[in-house]
Amino acid sequence: MRKHTYYLILACLILSLISCTDKRTGYRNDIQSDCVMEITPSDDALRLSEIIDDYQLILPEGILLASIDKVLIWDSTLIVKGLSPDNGYVHLFDRNGKFIKTILKGGQGPKEAGMNLSAMKLNGDNLYFLINGGMEMMCYSLKEGQITDRFRLPEEIFAACDFEVLDTGLYIFYKDMTRIGGKEYKLYVYDKTKEQIEKRWIALNKESTSYLSFGQSDCLYKHGGKCYFHEVFQKGIYEVGTDSLQGHVTFKANKYTMPDNVLYDSYPSLVDFVIFCQGASYVWAYRSLREGSRFITATYQVGKDYYWHVMDKKEQLSHSYARIEDDVLLEAEISLKDYMFQTNIQEDMRIFSLPYDLLDGVMQKKDSGQLVAFAHKNPKLMNIYQHMNEDSNEIIVMFHEKR
């Protein structure tokens, strides 16, 4: 009886190990690259002048936007993603912040975005939109000032969260939710001309999509003519080609790395998973990754605390910060959680949005002498602030990254 019990326990252990291994295989592989960075939280403050050497300020005027979610620069035009009172999604402004026109609205018309706008990318003179719940693509020619293409994605790619344009008619799409029976993937290379999927990469763990669907629209990006991919729990950054994935940056495993058997455990919902993460000591919600010529930055959490991860490609070093010592613009030390939102990076221009309540809070903490000195050093920002209120649009801040 003891022998039978022993073999039964052994069999159960083996089955458990096999099940655990199957659960993990192919969903989050190790990434090999020449650039290895570590993610370790600290309570340090980043002196902003260490990575930024100049800035520009633009206050969008002429239309009210609920928030500014993304800003792209095309020639002398600013392309701004933000919801307007008339259900407008994307708007054009000149470099002085004067409103030109709205080019995309929500709605069911042939030139409207359906239920929502998931992601927006600029490629040459064309602006691309992932719309209607991640089921359709639309192309807007900035030169012609009109919609030039619209097409529906294959059902297997529904509902995409993000995309990039790899070449003429060639796209890569990212999704994080299960949609069909059979095997599914996170990345799909789709040839619109042939109307067929060319490549499928990184298997999607169907059981985990109920709690790992963060709806990222910022994980596929281009820099230096190449395309890259990262999502919340990947072990680094991939370089994406038309027919291959290879390592770009490796995140070195440490005690803050969430183990696969913990990540792919059974959580009833996203809320339950978030509650677990907030009570644990693992890195999670690693996102908003922005790569410039020298620095790569991203935000993440450990428990309930927020951090900014700054990777210096030139020095092959990385460090995490809980606070920003803004000695470039605001002349204040601010927790990362309360700091400006980085909407985008374009070449070496890191673009943030500065809301009135943050600016007002900073100003209220300065005494009269500090305000006079601040106004003397930052006359444009002080002038903007004096004419702002709770109903004003957010200020677009363009920080120039150090080389």
Side-chain angles (χ1 to χ4, degrees):
M1 184 67 180
R2 287 181 184 173
K3 191 174 182 180
H4 175 74
T5 303
Y6 168 77
Y7 282 121
L8 181 61
I9 293 172
L10 182 61
C12 288
L13 284 172
I14 292 172
L15 284 172
S16 176
L17 287 171
I18 292 172
S19 174
C20 185
T21 302
D22 286 344
K23 228 176 178 183
R24 298 190 295 235
T25 300
Y27 301 123
R28 191 171 66 140
N29 292 329
D30 292 334
I31 297 175
Q32 305 298 323
S33 75
D34 295 330
C35 183
V36 180
M37 301 290 185
E38 191 164 4
I39 308 173
T40 304
S42 80
D43 191 45
D44 295 342
L46 170 68
R47 186 185 291 269
L48 196 60
S49 59
E50 293 179 5
I51 68 169
I52 299 298
D53 62 11
D54 197 8
Y55 68 87
Q56 296 173 264
L57 302 175
I58 300 172
L59 179 63
E61 296 181 297
I63 188 173
L64 183 64
L65 304 178
S67 64
I68 292 177
D69 303 319
K70 191 167 188 176
V71 177
L72 297 168
I73 305 168
W74 177 74
D75 196 16
S76 60
T77 302
L78 297 182
I79 304 159
V80 179
K81 180 177 180 285
L83 186 63
S84 63
D86 61 347
N87 206 29
Y89 290 162
V90 182
H91 320 273
L92 302 184
F93 295 83
D94 67 21
R95 290 298 289 263
N96 294 317
K98 182 180 178 182
F99 174 69
I100 299 172
K101 64 177 179 178
T102 297
I103 61 173
L104 184 69
K105 290 185 176 183
Q108 300 304 317
K111 298 182 180 180
E112 295 176 326
M115 63 182 75
N116 73 334
L117 169 61
S118 301
M120 174 179 77
K121 304 292 171 75
L122 178 65
N123 189 55
D125 296 323
N126 292 317
L127 196 57
Y128 293 85
F129 307 119
L130 178 61
I131 61 171
N132 204 17
M135 296 187 292
E136 290 185 271
M137 281 289 298
M138 182 183 284
C139 178
Y140 179 90
S141 170
L142 290 160
K143 277 191 170 182
E144 297 177 26
Q146 63 180 354
I147 301 296
T148 56
D149 193 17
R150 179 172 185 159
F151 63 92
R152 191 171 177 85
L153 304 186
E155 186 178 0
E156 186 180 347
I157 304 179
F158 288 0
C161 300
D162 198 15
F163 74 98
E164 259 297 352
V165 182
L166 295 177
D167 205 344
T168 304
L170 196 64
Y171 303 84
I172 182 164
F173 292 96
Y174 161 73
K175 76 171 187 178
D176 65 357
M177 285 289 293
T178 183
R179 168 76 180 184
I180 60 174
K183 202 166 186 179
E184 292 177 271
Y185 297 82
K186 292 186 176 181
L187 294 177
Y188 292 87
V189 176
Y190 178 67
D191 190 325
K192 190 254 182 180
T193 305
K194 298 178 182 177
E195 295 188 350
Q196 67 183 30
I197 297 170
E198 299 289 338
K199 296 289 180 180
R200 297 169 175 86
W201 289 310
I202 309 180
L204 184 66
N205 186 308
K206 291 174 176 284
E207 291 75 18
S208 69
T209 59
S210 62
Y211 63 87
L212 280 183
S213 299
F214 282 74
Q216 283 186 271
S217 60
D218 54 5
C219 53
L220 282 163
Y221 67 94
K222 278 187 173 179
H223 175 71
K226 295 181 179 180
C227 183
Y228 300 97
F229 168 72
H230 173 76
E231 64 165 352
V232 283
F233 288 104
Q234 292 297 323
K235 296 180 179 180
I237 306 170
Y238 287 101
E239 180 183 329
V240 183
T242 55
D243 57 5
S244 66
L245 278 181
Q246 61 184 25
H248 177 53
V249 176
T250 300
F251 294 158
K252 183 180 178 181
N254 59 24
K255 67 179 182 179
Y256 298 103
T257 305
M258 187 177 292
D260 288 352
N261 63 336
V262 175
L263 179 62
Y264 295 118
D265 200 355
S266 180
Y267 303 91
S269 68
L270 174 60
V271 172
D272 293 283
F273 180 63
V274 168
I275 291 172
F276 165 77
C277 291
Q278 289 179 336
S281 57
Y282 298 121
V283 169
W284 67 286
Y286 190 102
R287 57 184 305 166
S288 298
L289 191 143
R290 315 292 185 200
E291 179 168 0
S293 295
R294 179 172 176 179
F295 298 101
I296 304 174
T297 63
T299 60
Y300 69 89
Q301 288 181 248
V302 172
K304 294 183 179 180
D305 298 320
Y306 291 78
Y307 300 92
W308 206 23
H309 189 210
V310 180
M311 293 166 273
D312 187 334
K313 294 185 288 184
K314 180 180 178 180
E315 302 294 336
Q316 291 281 293
L317 296 172
S318 70
H319 198 84
S320 294
Y321 303 90
R323 293 163 292 125
I324 307 294
E325 185 182 334
D326 186 346
D327 57 338
V328 176
L329 177 65
L330 298 178
E331 296 187 4
E333 185 171 293
I334 304 170
S335 69
L336 178 67
K337 183 179 179 181
D338 298 323
Y339 195 63
M340 293 183 283
F341 172 67
Q342 186 172 358
T343 72
N344 190 33
I345 183 169
Q346 194 163 335
E347 297 179 350
D348 292 326
M349 196 73 72
R350 291 184 174 271
I351 306 173
F352 288 73
S353 58
L354 173 57
Y356 172 78
D357 58 351
L358 172 58
L359 180 58
D360 185 55
V362 168
M363 294 298 191
Q364 294 297 333
K365 291 179 181 179
K366 298 181 186 296
D367 60 35
S368 57
Q370 290 172 324
L371 278 175
V372 171
F374 184 87
H376 180 72
K377 185 178 178 181
N378 304 282
K380 183 169 183 178
L381 180 57
M382 196 66 183
N383 182 61
I384 291 174
Y385 170 64
Q386 290 172 341
H387 293 87
M388 288 181 76
N389 56 46
E390 294 86 350
D391 297 324
S392 298
N393 284 329
E394 297 169 341
I395 303 170
I396 296 172
V397 181
M398 297 183 177
F399 283 129
H400 188 269
E401 179 180 287
K402 277 188 173 181
R403 289 283 182 170

